[in-house]
Amino acid sequence: MKFSMGENAFETETEYGKLTVSGNEEYGYRPYQLMVSAIAVCSGGVLRKVMEKQRMKVEDIQIEADVTREPSEANRLTKIALHYTIKGEELKESRVEKAIDLARKNCPMAQTVEGRVELEETFTLV
């Protein structure tokens, strides 16, 4: 990826369109938003694959992400709490818990921050 500096943001072209990143959300996505999005979506995607491989019928997964930052340490991310709302057929909590643990171990984005950012994952079955 190649980023070009603009007046208020950096931009890059991807096959899906222009991505604008700025420290000011008036001008683009903030870097922490992209990092949290990458971790949430990667985790959710891997979770879906794990559940499907284990023959669980998943109809939908919604993900809510709450972020904790530490202002005294350059406002770094200290915790990301992901809550999955999972809709499917005959899902059992114990099997979903195991699938979440396995997904975390196989999500490259979650593994990238392992030991540096606390990652909490909870779920509700609907």
Side-chain angles (χ1 to χ4, degrees), residues 45-56 99 102-103:
V46 174
L47 175 59
R48 177 183 180 173
K49 286 180 185 173
V50 167
M51 292 178 73
E52 288 174 348
K53 268 190 156 174
Q54 295 178 349
R55 300 182 197 267
M56 289 186 247
L102 186 57

Side-chain angles (χ1 to χ4, degrees), residues 18-29:
K18 186 188 310 185
L19 175 63
T20 305
V21 183
S22 174
N24 182 336
E25 74 185 27
E26 289 181 33
Y27 301 106
Y29 293 101

Side-chain angles (χ1 to χ4, degrees), residues 29-119:
Y29 293 101
R30 295 183 63 199
Y32 90 91
Q33 292 170 323
L34 295 172
M35 179 175 274
V36 172
S37 297
I39 292 167
V41 172
C42 177
S43 297
V46 174
L47 175 59
R48 177 183 180 173
K49 286 180 185 173
V50 167
M51 292 178 73
E52 288 174 348
K53 268 190 156 174
Q54 295 178 349
R55 300 182 197 267
M56 289 186 247
K57 294 184 179 175
V58 180
E59 295 172 24
D60 188 38
I61 300 176
Q62 300 288 315
I63 307 167
E64 290 180 45
D66 289 317
V67 181
T68 305
R69 299 176 74 184
E70 180 51 58
S72 68
E73 295 178 24
N75 220 11
R76 79 172 183 89
L77 302 177
T78 57
K79 180 179 180 179
I80 300 171
L82 300 177
H83 183 78
Y84 305 102
T85 301
I86 305 168
K87 182 179 179 183
E89 293 181 28
E90 300 177 28
L91 299 176
K92 296 193 181 338
E93 286 192 14
S94 61
R95 290 188 71 206
V96 173
E97 284 176 8
K98 289 178 184 175
I100 288 173
D101 288 340
L102 186 57
R104 178 188 290 197
K105 293 174 185 169
N106 287 284
C107 169
M109 297 298 101
Q111 288 302 303
T112 298
V113 299
E114 179 74 23
R116 187 77 174 129
V117 176
E118 180 185 351
L119 185 58

